[in-house]
Amino acid sequence: DSLCIHGGPFVIGFYEQKYGLIAEAIYANALDIPLSFTYSIIDWFSNRGELEEKLNPMYCYIVSQLGANYIIGNVMHRSLKFYGAVLRNHKISEHANAFYFGACIGSLGNAKDWKFDVNYQYIGEYSIPEYDYQGLGRGIEFMAAVSITDHVSLKTKINVATINRFEVSTLYNW
């Protein structure tokens, strides 16, 4: 069993004067099995007045997330991970919940490694800030990635959610 706690401030958008504070706790190998839990809380704030915050829900976000991961080893010579999380915006009472759950097989690290992920996502209208969606939506998302070399990977995502999207990206890892 191990517990890790960390946090601090971060910049969301310098020019828009959007900043945040984050705290996260991770409890790994719970019950001596490959199960881990995470809890995080983020206070998204900006240099806005109190009145503007009351009038515009875009600036009203204190989001907590409780997640879990369970890893099964050696499926097709790869690790298989099941994961999920629930999110809640504590500053809004309606449409403030979100969740996702999915499965991932494989991992990237060396040349010719591969990874495949499928998950289902649901976000309430005010559950997370619009500028932090990071691919979350409503519906199913598929992701496949392959390491071309030990340092370069190619990743593609298909999001069949509220925003139908196809992404291709190249990642460099040093």
Side-chain angles (χ1 to χ4, degrees):
D1 296 10
S2 66
L3 177 65
C4 175
I5 299 173
H6 56 270
F10 65 99
V11 176
I12 300 162
F14 181 77
Y15 294 110
E16 301 88 6
Q17 295 183 340
K18 294 178 184 156
Y19 308 94
L21 294 173
I22 185 169
E24 181 176 53
I26 303 167
Y27 182 54
N29 296 319
L31 307 171
D32 292 325
I33 58 175
L35 175 66
S36 64
F37 296 98
T38 59
Y39 176 78
S40 64
I41 187 159
I42 300 176
D43 184 356
W44 302 91
F45 58 87
S46 59
N47 192 13
R48 308 283 187 226
E50 199 172 306
L51 178 61
E52 186 173 356
E53 190 173 287
K54 285 181 182 178
L55 296 175
N56 189 346
M58 180 177 175
Y59 303 114
C60 299
Y61 291 94
I62 295 180
V63 179
S64 63
Q65 175 175 307
L66 178 63
N69 294 307
Y70 183 75
I71 299 173
I72 299 171
N74 205 13
V75 175
M76 296 174 27
H77 305 289
R78 303 279 191 257
S79 64
L80 175 63
K81 176 173 75 170
F82 295 97
Y83 62 90
V86 292
L87 294 85
R88 170 87 180 146
N89 178 5
H90 300 283
K91 280 196 153 186
I92 301 288
S93 59
E94 294 181 14
H95 309 288
N97 298 318
F99 66 87
Y100 60 88
F101 58 88
C104 177
I105 187 166
S107 63
L108 303 179
N110 299 315
K112 300 181 184 175
D113 283 350
W114 56 268
K115 177 179 176 178
F116 181 74
D117 184 288
V118 61
N119 64 67
Y120 180 80
Q121 311 164 1
Y122 171 81
I123 58 167
E125 187 175 359
Y126 300 116
S127 58
I128 57 175
E130 186 176 299
Y131 44 83
D132 185 48
Y133 272 34
Q134 297 295 319
L136 287 177
R138 292 182 184 159
I140 299 173
E141 180 178 86
F142 301 94
M143 186 277 298
V146 63
S147 290
I148 298 167
T149 70
D150 288 351
H151 301 288
V152 178
S153 301
L154 182 63
K155 179 171 85 171
T156 183
K157 275 187 189 180
I158 300 171
N159 191 307
V160 188
T162 47
I163 305 168
N164 292 324
R165 178 176 55 225
F166 178 74
E167 295 177 24
V168 176
S169 56
T170 302
L171 309 168
Y172 179 79
N173 185 18
W174 60 88

